[in-house]
Amino acid sequence: MSKKSYREAIRDAIASEMRRDPRVIVMGEDNAGGAGAPGETDAWGGVLGVTKGLQPEFGADRVLDTPISESAFIGAAAGAAATGLRPVAELMFVDFMGVCFDQIFNQAAKFRYMFGGRAVTPLVIRTMYGAGFRAASQHSQCLYPLFTHIPGLKVVLPSSPYDAKGLMIQAIRDDDPVIFFEHKVMYDETAEVPDESYTIPFGEANLTREGRDATIVAFGRMVNFANQAADELKREGLSVTVIDPRTTSPLDAETILDSVAETGRLVVVDESHPRCSMAADIARLVAEEAFDHLKAPIRTVTAPHTPVPFSPALEDIYIPTPKKIRDAVLAVTRGRSS
Amino acid sequence: MSEIQPIIMPKWGLAMEEGTLTAWLVQDKTQIEKGQEIAEIETTKIANVFESPVSGTLRRIVAKPGDVVPVGALLAVLAPPSVSDSDIDGFVAGFVVEESTDADAAAGAVAERRMERNGRPLVYKTAGAQSAATPVVLIHGFGGDSDNWLFNIEEIAKERPVYALDLPGHGKSTKTLASGDLGELTDAVVDLLHEVEAPKAHLVGHSLGAAVAFRVLADRPERVASIVGIAPAGLGDRIRPDYVDSFVAAEKRKDVKAALQLLFADPGLVSAQMVEGVQRFKRLEGATEALRAIGERNLPSGRQTANFRDLVGEERVPTLVIWGDRDAILDPAAAQGLPSSVTVIRVQDVGHMPHMEAARTVNRHLAEHFDAVDRRNASGE
């Protein structure tokens, strides 16, 4: 056991699976970097260095730098997965995903279904998401709800280094296409992460706080903010459960509904835009399945329905904060009888 | 100023970084005694009562109920009446949490060590200053690890060296087993005694760990000063039939929680973090297979494969048995009919984990037992 960063945990997971299974390959823009430049073999490791060190260990045959053509290399990765490899493709920023929607939505996501269950597509697409990096509107979005919408895709949002490693190993071993969302401001967060291999099953939520007065469901980086809000509320006398679903597809609805049945109050925290978001999805789930348990209206804490601003002052206002989460919990618990 | 004594947030277990002070059990301005229960503290693992490490007059309560306090930070201040309030104000204002550069010291002198056995890692925790006192080896039960002793290890370490092993297949030790039988687990304890150069030790075993301790006594009697069996296996033929299988099979949070709740008289002690801790162990590659092998070899279908009643009847070493009267895993009735030389302590309203659920009581009995045995040995009896 040792402390590892979110970045190191992901790299550790990929490297250990590459050692275990020769079918696992890595491909993407500047995954190693420096290809074709004399003397340079491991210059970049992706934009923020996650895959650095993989090419020297596994060689250029298994760690491929691709041309700057997402539609080409994501399509190639889907085809490679369908024909026997287990590619881990990196598509830098999820904001760039639009140019390869056909490869993902119509091809990779549909192979198993349209080939009568006889095809598997063990593809992992790693991608960065989220605001707070001063990277403006085209490099800061949280597009995980778009992928959650598509049957046939699995969508993973690790909120800690420990979860990042276990979910990445699970993603690589999974036989379906997995979109693996890494929050770009979390790469340097560190925590205890075992050196050994382990997997975290998809569709199993984690309870990061346990309380009686309200339930917070939060995704990705927002789990940490929800924990901060819960700790602050505890000092003020409110005990709050925080649920991290870990994966938006599949979704552990049971854990959410069980918790709401106990607390009767729900706040959903989603860094995405409010419309057609995970916040909207969870609110729909609870309104349909647990309405009788609710003692107060559901509240959501999301970014506004605007592009992510480039102005740092505006970007800070844009992102949900622990204080906004705390205020939402106070709003749903106002007038509680206990 | 030296008459002012701080009471700080304790560190229970290597992973603890902060605790929540949930309640004070003493009034301000009263005299408190060393060892008195003064507060309730909740960690991410479990809630427990906190005993004062010192005696004195409680002059200032710094942490309020509900406060989350880092390990080492100030909870309260003791001082004689002669110290002025302003001196105490100054002490509180100037108090600095000791930043230890040494990881071992930061862990309240509990250090984690690793040894190799046939090329496979065995991990143990150790605490306690070098002393001539006979060391203590703590052996956890099926599915547990050395963290199960988090409320005991530092208490024992005040008087003698203490070692808490992660048995093969458990905790941070190897998940690769030869067979998982009792002999393999026993060899790991004997290897630990070699590693730490302890000619003799008091063996404290919980549940299956007690059967391991008895087996060490059978194989290597010269290495055993005494045995303490806490909710011990090895004295009866049966175990709750569904427990081992349900613990091995449990993957989901709900199932792990249900299995863990069988261990405690108060199921409310099983926190989400305790469940996640067990899930983290069970997710490790090879862990479930190792548990299954150990279960099949030692605790198959509601039976125990090893019975040491005859060995205990030989009265080779002083033996103490501690059992919770609400143990739902191993029936405390198995403590009946043991030789009169075996001391049997029944702890009220406690389940299968007395060393966690009634840590203070267990620690007191352990200390009395070790002292009595060491005194007897020193006087040459």
mmCIF file with all atom_site columns, all heavy atoms in Angstrom, chain B residues 52-69:
data_model
loop_
_atom_site.group_PDB
_atom_site.id
_atom_site.type_symbol
_atom_site.label_atom_id
_atom_site.label_alt_id
_atom_site.label_comp_id
_atom_site.label_asym_id
_atom_site.label_entity_id
_atom_site.label_seq_id
_atom_site.pdbx_PDB_ins_code
_atom_site.Cartn_x
_atom_site.Cartn_y
_atom_site.Cartn_z
_atom_site.occupancy
_atom_site.B_iso_or_equiv
_atom_site.pdbx_formal_charge
_atom_site.auth_seq_id
_atom_site.auth_comp_id
_atom_site.auth_asym_id
_atom_site.auth_atom_id
_atom_site.pdbx_PDB_model_num
ATOM 1   N N   . SER B 1 52 ? -8.832  8.842  29.592 1.00 0.00 ? 52 SER B N   1
ATOM 2   C CA  . SER B 1 52 ? -7.829  9.879  29.807 1.00 0.00 ? 52 SER B CA  1
ATOM 3   C C   . SER B 1 52 ? -6.453  9.253  29.978 1.00 0.00 ? 52 SER B C   1
ATOM 4   O O   . SER B 1 52 ? -6.287  8.320  30.761 1.00 0.00 ? 52 SER B O   1
ATOM 5   C CB  . SER B 1 52 ? -8.163  10.699 31.049 1.00 0.00 ? 52 SER B CB  1
ATOM 6   O OG  . SER B 1 52 ? -7.155  11.671 31.222 1.00 0.00 ? 52 SER B OG  1
ATOM 7   N N   . PRO B 1 53 ? -5.465  9.751  29.254 1.00 0.00 ? 53 PRO B N   1
ATOM 8   C CA  . PRO B 1 53 ? -4.115  9.225  29.421 1.00 0.00 ? 53 PRO B CA  1
ATOM 9   C C   . PRO B 1 53 ? -3.423  9.775  30.681 1.00 0.00 ? 53 PRO B C   1
ATOM 10  O O   . PRO B 1 53 ? -2.367  9.283  31.055 1.00 0.00 ? 53 PRO B O   1
ATOM 11  C CB  . PRO B 1 53 ? -3.391  9.687  28.155 1.00 0.00 ? 53 PRO B CB  1
ATOM 12  C CG  . PRO B 1 53 ? -4.163  10.868 27.682 1.00 0.00 ? 53 PRO B CG  1
ATOM 13  C CD  . PRO B 1 53 ? -5.569  10.739 28.184 1.00 0.00 ? 53 PRO B CD  1
ATOM 14  N N   . VAL B 1 54 ? -4.015  10.795 31.306 1.00 0.00 ? 54 VAL B N   1
ATOM 15  C CA  . VAL B 1 54 ? -3.375  11.439 32.460 1.00 0.00 ? 54 VAL B CA  1
ATOM 16  C C   . VAL B 1 54 ? -4.441  11.787 33.503 1.00 0.00 ? 54 VAL B C   1
ATOM 17  O O   . VAL B 1 54 ? -5.637  11.762 33.225 1.00 0.00 ? 54 VAL B O   1
ATOM 18  C CB  . VAL B 1 54 ? -2.636  12.743 32.045 1.00 0.00 ? 54 VAL B CB  1
ATOM 19  C CG1 . VAL B 1 54 ? -1.396  12.421 31.243 1.00 0.00 ? 54 VAL B CG1 1
ATOM 20  C CG2 . VAL B 1 54 ? -3.557  13.649 31.241 1.00 0.00 ? 54 VAL B CG2 1
ATOM 21  N N   . SER B 1 55 ? -3.976  12.122 34.716 1.00 0.00 ? 55 SER B N   1
ATOM 22  C CA  . SER B 1 55 ? -4.870  12.572 35.776 1.00 0.00 ? 55 SER B CA  1
ATOM 23  C C   . SER B 1 55 ? -4.711  14.074 35.979 1.00 0.00 ? 55 SER B C   1
ATOM 24  O O   . SER B 1 55 ? -3.637  14.631 35.731 1.00 0.00 ? 55 SER B O   1
ATOM 25  C CB  . SER B 1 55 ? -4.536  11.872 37.102 1.00 0.00 ? 55 SER B CB  1
ATOM 26  O OG  . SER B 1 55 ? -4.660  10.485 36.961 1.00 0.00 ? 55 SER B OG  1
ATOM 27  N N   . GLY B 1 56 ? -5.785  14.703 36.450 1.00 0.00 ? 56 GLY B N   1
ATOM 28  C CA  . GLY B 1 56 ? -5.689  16.131 36.741 1.00 0.00 ? 56 GLY B CA  1
ATOM 29  C C   . GLY B 1 56 ? -7.067  16.768 36.747 1.00 0.00 ? 56 GLY B C   1
ATOM 30  O O   . GLY B 1 56 ? -8.080  16.088 36.586 1.00 0.00 ? 56 GLY B O   1
ATOM 31  N N   . THR B 1 57 ? -7.061  18.096 36.936 1.00 0.00 ? 57 THR B N   1
ATOM 32  C CA  . THR B 1 57 ? -8.325  18.814 36.952 1.00 0.00 ? 57 THR B CA  1
ATOM 33  C C   . THR B 1 57 ? -8.633  19.319 35.545 1.00 0.00 ? 57 THR B C   1
ATOM 34  O O   . THR B 1 57 ? -7.789  19.960 34.912 1.00 0.00 ? 57 THR B O   1
ATOM 35  C CB  . THR B 1 57 ? -8.256  20.009 37.913 1.00 0.00 ? 57 THR B CB  1
ATOM 36  O OG1 . THR B 1 57 ? -7.872  19.521 39.188 1.00 0.00 ? 57 THR B OG1 1
ATOM 37  C CG2 . THR B 1 57 ? -9.602  20.708 38.009 1.00 0.00 ? 57 THR B CG2 1
ATOM 38  N N   . LEU B 1 58 ? -9.846  19.005 35.081 1.00 0.00 ? 58 LEU B N   1
ATOM 39  C CA  . LEU B 1 58 ? -10.246 19.463 33.753 1.00 0.00 ? 58 LEU B CA  1
ATOM 40  C C   . LEU B 1 58 ? -10.538 20.953 33.830 1.00 0.00 ? 58 LEU B C   1
ATOM 41  O O   . LEU B 1 58 ? -11.461 21.390 34.505 1.00 0.00 ? 58 LEU B O   1
ATOM 42  C CB  . LEU B 1 58 ? -11.477 18.672 33.291 1.00 0.00 ? 58 LEU B CB  1
ATOM 43  C CG  . LEU B 1 58 ? -12.005 18.971 31.892 1.00 0.00 ? 58 LEU B CG  1
ATOM 44  C CD1 . LEU B 1 58 ? -10.937 18.728 30.845 1.00 0.00 ? 58 LEU B CD1 1
ATOM 45  C CD2 . LEU B 1 58 ? -13.220 18.112 31.597 1.00 0.00 ? 58 LEU B CD2 1
ATOM 46  N N   . ARG B 1 59 ? -9.702  21.728 33.139 1.00 0.00 ? 59 ARG B N   1
ATOM 47  C CA  . ARG B 1 59 ? -9.856  23.175 33.226 1.00 0.00 ? 59 ARG B CA  1
ATOM 48  C C   . ARG B 1 59 ? -10.469 23.779 31.975 1.00 0.00 ? 59 ARG B C   1
ATOM 49  O O   . ARG B 1 59 ? -11.004 24.889 32.006 1.00 0.00 ? 59 ARG B O   1
ATOM 50  C CB  . ARG B 1 59 ? -8.480  23.819 33.473 1.00 0.00 ? 59 ARG B CB  1
ATOM 51  C CG  . ARG B 1 59 ? -7.917  23.539 34.847 1.00 0.00 ? 59 ARG B CG  1
ATOM 52  C CD  . ARG B 1 59 ? -8.684  24.266 35.953 1.00 0.00 ? 59 ARG B CD  1
ATOM 53  N NE  . ARG B 1 59 ? -8.681  25.718 35.767 1.00 0.00 ? 59 ARG B NE  1
ATOM 54  C CZ  . ARG B 1 59 ? -7.679  26.503 36.158 1.00 0.00 ? 59 ARG B CZ  1
ATOM 55  N NH1 . ARG B 1 59 ? -6.608  25.998 36.740 1.00 0.00 ? 59 ARG B NH1 1
ATOM 56  N NH2 . ARG B 1 59 ? -7.757  27.804 35.970 1.00 0.00 ? 59 ARG B NH2 1
ATOM 57  N N   . ARG B 1 60 ? -10.320 23.127 30.862 1.00 0.00 ? 60 ARG B N   1
ATOM 58  C CA  . ARG B 1 60 ? -10.818 23.757 29.641 1.00 0.00 ? 60 ARG B CA  1
ATOM 59  C C   . ARG B 1 60 ? -11.199 22.680 28.632 1.00 0.00 ? 60 ARG B C   1
ATOM 60  O O   . ARG B 1 60 ? -10.388 21.812 28.320 1.00 0.00 ? 60 ARG B O   1
ATOM 61  C CB  . ARG B 1 60 ? -9.710  24.651 29.023 1.00 0.00 ? 60 ARG B CB  1
ATOM 62  C CG  . ARG B 1 60 ? -10.129 25.387 27.760 1.00 0.00 ? 60 ARG B CG  1
ATOM 63  C CD  . ARG B 1 60 ? -11.151 26.488 28.016 1.00 0.00 ? 60 ARG B CD  1
ATOM 64  N NE  . ARG B 1 60 ? -10.781 27.371 29.111 1.00 0.00 ? 60 ARG B NE  1
ATOM 65  C CZ  . ARG B 1 60 ? -9.980  28.430 28.994 1.00 0.00 ? 60 ARG B CZ  1
ATOM 66  N NH1 . ARG B 1 60 ? -9.475  28.733 27.821 1.00 0.00 ? 60 ARG B NH1 1
ATOM 67  N NH2 . ARG B 1 60 ? -9.693  29.168 30.047 1.00 0.00 ? 60 ARG B NH2 1
ATOM 68  N N   . ILE B 1 61 ? -12.449 22.706 28.181 1.00 0.00 ? 61 ILE B N   1
ATOM 69  C CA  . ILE B 1 61 ? -12.872 21.831 27.096 1.00 0.00 ? 61 ILE B CA  1
ATOM 70  C C   . ILE B 1 61 ? -12.733 22.621 25.798 1.00 0.00 ? 61 ILE B C   1
ATOM 71  O O   . ILE B 1 61 ? -13.348 23.677 25.639 1.00 0.00 ? 61 ILE B O   1
ATOM 72  C CB  . ILE B 1 61 ? -14.319 21.336 27.319 1.00 0.00 ? 61 ILE B CB  1
ATOM 73  C CG1 . ILE B 1 61 ? -14.306 20.282 28.448 1.00 0.00 ? 61 ILE B CG1 1
ATOM 74  C CG2 . ILE B 1 61 ? -14.912 20.774 26.036 1.00 0.00 ? 61 ILE B CG2 1
ATOM 75  C CD1 . ILE B 1 61 ? -15.667 19.726 28.804 1.00 0.00 ? 61 ILE B CD1 1
ATOM 76  N N   . VAL B 1 62 ? -11.886 22.132 24.911 1.00 0.00 ? 62 VAL B N   1
ATOM 77  C CA  . VAL B 1 62 ? -11.592 22.862 23.680 1.00 0.00 ? 62 VAL B CA  1
ATOM 78  C C   . VAL B 1 62 ? -12.470 22.358 22.529 1.00 0.00 ? 62 VAL B C   1
ATOM 79  O O   . VAL B 1 62 ? -13.033 23.149 21.782 1.00 0.00 ? 62 VAL B O   1
ATOM 80  C CB  . VAL B 1 62 ? -10.098 22.722 23.319 1.00 0.00 ? 62 VAL B CB  1
ATOM 81  C CG1 . VAL B 1 62 ? -9.787  23.448 22.018 1.00 0.00 ? 62 VAL B CG1 1
ATOM 82  C CG2 . VAL B 1 62 ? -9.234  23.257 24.461 1.00 0.00 ? 62 VAL B CG2 1
ATOM 83  N N   . ALA B 1 63 ? -12.584 21.046 22.410 1.00 0.00 ? 63 ALA B N   1
ATOM 84  C CA  . ALA B 1 63 ? -13.378 20.472 21.312 1.00 0.00 ? 63 ALA B CA  1
ATOM 85  C C   . ALA B 1 63 ? -14.816 20.287 21.777 1.00 0.00 ? 63 ALA B C   1
ATOM 86  O O   . ALA B 1 63 ? -15.063 19.744 22.838 1.00 0.00 ? 63 ALA B O   1
ATOM 87  C CB  . ALA B 1 63 ? -12.788 19.138 20.883 1.00 0.00 ? 63 ALA B CB  1
ATOM 88  N N   . LYS B 1 64 ? -15.742 20.746 20.964 1.00 0.00 ? 64 LYS B N   1
ATOM 89  C CA  . LYS B 1 64 ? -17.162 20.642 21.293 1.00 0.00 ? 64 LYS B CA  1
ATOM 90  C C   . LYS B 1 64 ? -17.736 19.384 20.646 1.00 0.00 ? 64 LYS B C   1
ATOM 91  O O   . LYS B 1 64 ? -17.245 18.955 19.602 1.00 0.00 ? 64 LYS B O   1
ATOM 92  C CB  . LYS B 1 64 ? -17.923 21.862 20.747 1.00 0.00 ? 64 LYS B CB  1
ATOM 93  C CG  . LYS B 1 64 ? -17.394 23.201 21.242 1.00 0.00 ? 64 LYS B CG  1
ATOM 94  C CD  . LYS B 1 64 ? -17.932 23.527 22.629 1.00 0.00 ? 64 LYS B CD  1
ATOM 95  C CE  . LYS B 1 64 ? -17.360 24.834 23.156 1.00 0.00 ? 64 LYS B CE  1
ATOM 96  N NZ  . LYS B 1 64 ? -15.906 24.763 23.434 1.00 0.00 ? 64 LYS B NZ  1
ATOM 97  N N   . PRO B 1 65 ? -18.794 18.832 21.225 1.00 0.00 ? 65 PRO B N   1
ATOM 98  C CA  . PRO B 1 65 ? -19.428 17.676 20.589 1.00 0.00 ? 65 PRO B CA  1
ATOM 99  C C   . PRO B 1 65 ? -19.782 17.985 19.138 1.00 0.00 ? 65 PRO B C   1
ATOM 100 O O   . PRO B 1 65 ? -20.335 19.043 18.847 1.00 0.00 ? 65 PRO B O   1
ATOM 101 C CB  . PRO B 1 65 ? -20.685 17.453 21.438 1.00 0.00 ? 65 PRO B CB  1
ATOM 102 C CG  . PRO B 1 65 ? -20.306 17.972 22.790 1.00 0.00 ? 65 PRO B CG  1
ATOM 103 C CD  . PRO B 1 65 ? -19.425 19.164 22.517 1.00 0.00 ? 65 PRO B CD  1
ATOM 104 N N   . GLY B 1 66 ? -19.423 17.063 18.248 1.00 0.00 ? 66 GLY B N   1
ATOM 105 C CA  . GLY B 1 66 ? -19.661 17.266 16.816 1.00 0.00 ? 66 GLY B CA  1
ATOM 106 C C   . GLY B 1 66 ? -18.435 17.763 16.078 1.00 0.00 ? 66 GLY B C   1
ATOM 107 O O   . GLY B 1 66 ? -18.384 17.689 14.860 1.00 0.00 ? 66 GLY B O   1
ATOM 108 N N   . ASP B 1 67 ? -17.435 18.251 16.831 1.00 0.00 ? 67 ASP B N   1
ATOM 109 C CA  . ASP B 1 67 ? -16.235 18.758 16.161 1.00 0.00 ? 67 ASP B CA  1
ATOM 110 C C   . ASP B 1 67 ? -15.438 17.605 15.543 1.00 0.00 ? 67 ASP B C   1
ATOM 111 O O   . ASP B 1 67 ? -15.265 16.554 16.160 1.00 0.00 ? 67 ASP B O   1
ATOM 112 C CB  . ASP B 1 67 ? -15.321 19.483 17.160 1.00 0.00 ? 67 ASP B CB  1
ATOM 113 C CG  . ASP B 1 67 ? -15.819 20.888 17.476 1.00 0.00 ? 67 ASP B CG  1
ATOM 114 O OD1 . ASP B 1 67 ? -16.862 21.277 16.909 1.00 0.00 ? 67 ASP B OD1 1
ATOM 115 O OD2 . ASP B 1 67 ? -15.178 21.574 18.291 1.00 0.00 ? 67 ASP B OD2 1
ATOM 116 N N   . VAL B 1 68 ? -14.955 17.842 14.329 1.00 0.00 ? 68 VAL B N   1
ATOM 117 C CA  . VAL B 1 68 ? -14.035 16.904 13.696 1.00 0.00 ? 68 VAL B CA  1
ATOM 118 C C   . VAL B 1 68 ? -12.626 17.422 13.973 1.00 0.00 ? 68 VAL B C   1
ATOM 119 O O   . VAL B 1 68 ? -12.292 18.544 13.601 1.00 0.00 ? 68 VAL B O   1
ATOM 120 C CB  . VAL B 1 68 ? -14.298 16.811 12.178 1.00 0.00 ? 68 VAL B CB  1
ATOM 121 C CG1 . VAL B 1 68 ? -13.323 15.844 11.532 1.00 0.00 ? 68 VAL B CG1 1
ATOM 122 C CG2 . VAL B 1 68 ? -15.737 16.375 11.923 1.00 0.00 ? 68 VAL B CG2 1
ATOM 123 N N   . VAL B 1 69 ? -11.841 16.610 14.655 1.00 0.00 ? 69 VAL B N   1
ATOM 124 C CA  . VAL B 1 69 ? -10.557 17.088 15.174 1.00 0.00 ? 69 VAL B CA  1
ATOM 125 C C   . VAL B 1 69 ? -9.428  16.226 14.597 1.00 0.00 ? 69 VAL B C   1
ATOM 126 O O   . VAL B 1 69 ? -9.504  14.996 14.646 1.00 0.00 ? 69 VAL B O   1
ATOM 127 C CB  . VAL B 1 69 ? -10.547 16.990 16.716 1.00 0.00 ? 69 VAL B CB  1
ATOM 128 C CG1 . VAL B 1 69 ? -9.223  17.498 17.282 1.00 0.00 ? 69 VAL B CG1 1
ATOM 129 C CG2 . VAL B 1 69 ? -11.724 17.759 17.314 1.00 0.00 ? 69 VAL B CG2 1
#
